[in-house]
Each structure stands twice: as C-alpha cells, then as structure tokens.
Amino acid sequence: MPHTHTKAVVHRLSRAIGHLQAIRDMVEDDRDCCEVLTQLAAVKSAINGISREVLKDHIEHCVADAVREGDAKALEDLSNALDRFMK
Amino acid sequence: MPHTHTKAVVHRLSRAIGHLQAIRDMVEDDRDCCEVLTQLAAVKSAINGISREVLKDHIEHCVADAVREGDAKALEDLSNALDRFMK
Amino acid sequence: MPHTHTKAVVHRLSRAIGHLQAIRDMVEDDRDCCEVLTQLAAVKSAINGISREVLKDHIEHCVADAVREGDAKALEDLSNALDRFMK
Amino acid sequence: MPHTHTKAVVHRLSRAIGHLQAIRDMVEDDRDCCEVLTQLAAVKSAINGISREVLKDHIEHCVADAVREGDAKALEDLSNALDRFMK
C-alpha cells in the first residue's frame, strides 16, 4: 500500500546521497580528516533519522493494517528487521 | 599530506552512494519497509566502517607525524581502542 | 502478562552490572584508558543485546496479543519507544 | 599518571550501575517493555557519554604528554572530531 511519507523519505535520501558525494570530493581533494569524519557522522545521523521515519510509518500503517487482518507475519518480519537494525 | 588509503576510501564511498540510490528506488517503488530498513542498516554500517578507516589512517599517519619523539605506542593503542570501540 | 525471557534478561542485566562495577574499580585504580574504553564498549554492546531481546519478546508476545484484542495503543507505544531508542 | 576526571567518571559509572539495577527491578516486576527499552536506551547513552569523557581526557592528557613538541593542535582537533563523531 502507498506510504504517507514516501516523498519526504525520497527527498531525505537524495540529500544524504548529495552529502556523500560531497564527502567523496573532500577525500579526493585530500581535505582534513577530522572534517571528513565530522561530515560522515552527519550522514550517519541522517540515515538514522530516515530509518526512524520509515519505521514509524511502517508500524503505524502497514503493521497495524496487517495485524487487523490477522496477518501475524508482519510482526515477525518487523521483529527480525529490528533485530538486524540494532546489531 | 597524501593519505595511503584515499583510493580505498573513495571506492567505498562510491559503493555507499550506489547503495543509497538503490534504496531510494526501492522507496519510490513502494517496496517492503522491512527490506528498506535492513538496507539502510547496511549503509549505516558501511559508513561506520569508512569512518573507522579514515580515523585509523588519520591517527597512524597525520597525528603520528605530529609526534616528534619515538613514543608512537600511545597513539597506536589509542587507534586500536577506537577501532574496537566504534565497531 | 509474564514474559518468557524474564529470567534470561535479569541474568544478563546482572552480568552487565558486575561488568560496570569492575570498570569502576579500573578507573579508581587509574588503569589504562584504552582498556577502560574497550570494556565500556563491551558493556554498551551487552546492553544493546539485552534491548534486542526485550524488544523481540515484546513484539512477538505483548504486541501480538494486544493487537489481536484490538488495542492499537500497543503499536503506538512501540513506535514511540523505538523512536526514542534510535535517537 | 592520575587523571583529572577520575572522580567525575567514577560518579557517572555509579549512577549508571544504579540505573541498571533499577531496570533489573523493573524486569523482575514484569513492568511495561516499552518503558524498559526507554530506560535501557538512557543507560546506553550514559555509557556512551562516559566513554567520550574518558577518551577526551585520555587524548588531552596521556597522549598529549607523549607529544614532545608544541604541535598539540592536531590532537585537539582529533579530540573534538571524535567527540562529535561518537555522539
């Protein structure tokens, strides 16, 4: 089913991609390592934020709908995905 | 000064960028959220790995060059501990 | 309702507490910082593992039961807890 | 050599230990899983904060003492970047 936040998530992914491309340029230009590290930390934080948005949307829509229709598989999939995510 | 691992870091960044672009396609195609989350976790882990490589290179080369005397052992230990810590 | 993994979780928490007490002793004895950092990383990893166990148990039992009984609040609570956890 | 922040670190470790003991009580009392997860996230964050303090102290004192010449700037930058990175 369509997700309410698809557009926002795609937009945030595009920004993260642009950010990584800028970091690649910095590395190629042999820029200061500490600055590269700080920018990598920012991208990691952005990806974490995107994950939280995807997860929130998933639980409040997909999982809720699936469980209402008696599909317990959705919870098992969620549990496994979270387990991998938190490794 | 030039870094020994620049090529490897640029290559890993390019792969992470390609991975994020594939995830954006998945989101646009409204693919399963759990799969999206799992792929985002993989990219986050890749960025963490790249950060560790940059950091290791930085400490072992840039910072070591700033240390004037032969006592590089303290920095080597720091480098190893950080590497483990940030896993 | 009672949780299947309570005993295992309590046991793992007790080990993490003992580990932190040992680290406190290390700091008081002014032991090597890198070793302290490595041990702190191990405890952080242990707490992450405990969180994953609690979460897995929660989703597969409490949330599944609650949703079956038409309680959508359980999913909202889970979503909020995860959001805080991933910050 | 003695560390300037030993007392503060020991104090923070004691608080984290007390926090984990309270969480163990919650689990034994079969308290709400989401609340347990939120508290575990708080302890994980506290341990991360302690690690950062230990690391900062280490780099600024132990490692700095190993640097024989006046060029401490590189290590200061490293310390700041790590502090941001490990947030």
Side-chain angles (χ1 to χ4, degrees):
Chain A
M1 82 217 70
H3 296 87
T4 44
H5 297 132
T6 297
K7 255 192 193 168
V9 170
V10 167
H11 181 66
R12 290 176 76 174
L13 281 168
S14 293
R15 272 197 306 182
I17 290 164
H19 203 155
L20 273 187
Q21 287 166 333
I23 294 172
R24 186 175 52 187
D25 289 346
M26 289 173 71
V27 173
E28 281 175 336
D29 292 348
D30 209 26
R31 292 270 295 282
D32 180 58
C33 297
C34 289
E35 185 54 31
V36 170
L37 275 178
T38 300
Q39 295 307 318
L40 283 171
V43 172
K44 203 173 76 162
S45 173
I47 290 175
N48 210 34
I50 295 169
S51 302
R52 284 164 63 198
E53 187 162 342
V54 169
L55 183 64
K56 210 175 166 64
D57 200 32
H58 179 58
I59 293 178
E60 291 173 10
H61 297 93
C62 319
V63 179
D65 288 350
V67 176
R68 259 194 292 277
E69 293 165 14
D71 174 14
K73 181 76 167 42
L75 281 176
E76 197 187 309
D77 288 345
L78 171 68
S79 177
N80 288 332
L82 285 171
D83 201 47
R84 280 191 296 271
F85 190 84
M86 290 160 69
K87 249 178 204 166
Chain B
M1 86 218 69
H3 294 88
T4 45
H5 295 135
T6 297
K7 255 192 192 168
V9 170
V10 167
H11 181 67
R12 290 176 76 173
L13 281 168
S14 293
R15 273 196 305 181
I17 289 164
H19 203 156
L20 272 187
Q21 288 166 333
I23 294 172
R24 185 174 54 187
D25 290 345
M26 288 173 70
V27 173
E28 281 175 336
D29 292 348
D30 209 26
R31 292 272 294 282
D32 179 58
C33 296
C34 288
E35 186 53 30
V36 170
L37 274 179
T38 300
Q39 296 307 318
L40 283 171
V43 173
K44 202 173 76 163
S45 173
I47 290 175
N48 213 33
I50 294 168
S51 303
R52 285 163 57 204
E53 185 161 344
V54 170
L55 181 66
K56 209 176 165 66
D57 200 33
H58 178 59
I59 293 176
E60 290 177 8
H61 296 93
C62 317
V63 182
D65 281 352
V67 177
R68 297 296 177 242
E69 210 160 319
D71 182 10
K73 183 68 171 51
L75 290 173
E76 192 188 313
D77 288 351
L78 172 68
S79 176
N80 288 334
L82 282 172
D83 195 59
R84 283 191 295 271
F85 183 76
M86 291 158 66
K87 251 178 204 167
Chain C
M1 84 217 71
H3 296 86
T4 44
H5 296 134
T6 298
K7 255 190 194 169
V9 170
V10 166
H11 182 67
R12 289 175 77 173
L13 281 167
S14 293
R15 273 198 305 184
I17 289 165
H19 203 155
L20 272 187
Q21 288 167 334
I23 294 172
R24 186 175 53 187
D25 289 346
M26 290 172 70
V27 174
E28 282 175 336
D29 292 348
D30 209 27
R31 292 271 295 281
D32 179 58
C33 296
C34 290
E35 185 54 30
V36 170
L37 276 178
T38 300
Q39 295 307 319
L40 283 170
V43 172
K44 202 172 77 161
S45 173
I47 289 174
N48 211 33
I50 295 169
S51 302
R52 284 164 63 199
E53 187 162 343
V54 169
L55 183 64
K56 210 174 166 66
D57 200 32
H58 179 58
I59 292 178
E60 291 174 9
H61 297 94
C62 319
V63 178
D65 287 350
V67 176
R68 259 194 292 277
E69 292 164 15
D71 175 15
K73 180 75 167 43
L75 280 176
E76 197 187 309
D77 288 345
L78 171 68
S79 178
N80 288 333
L82 285 171
D83 201 47
R84 280 191 297 271
F85 190 85
M86 291 160 68
K87 249 178 205 165
Chain D
M1 88 217 69
H3 296 87
T4 45
H5 295 134
T6 297
K7 256 191 192 168
V9 170
V10 166
H11 181 67
R12 290 175 77 173
L13 281 168
S14 293
R15 273 196 305 183
I17 289 165
H19 204 156
L20 272 187
Q21 288 167 334
I23 294 172
R24 186 176 52 187
D25 290 345
M26 289 173 70
V27 173
E28 281 175 337
D29 292 349
D30 209 27
R31 292 271 294 283
D32 179 59
C33 296
C34 289
E35 186 54 29
V36 170
L37 274 178
T38 300
Q39 296 307 319
L40 283 170
V43 172
K44 201 173 77 164
S45 172
I47 290 174
N48 212 33
I50 295 169
S51 303
R52 285 163 57 204
E53 185 162 344
V54 170
L55 182 66
K56 210 177 165 64
D57 199 34
H58 178 59
I59 293 176
E60 291 176 8
H61 295 93
C62 318
V63 182
D65 282 351
V67 178
R68 298 297 176 240
E69 209 159 319
D71 182 11
K73 183 66 171 54
L75 290 173
E76 192 188 313
D77 288 352
L78 171 68
S79 176
N80 288 333
L82 283 172
D83 195 60
R84 283 191 295 271
F85 183 78
M86 292 158 66
K87 250 178 205 167

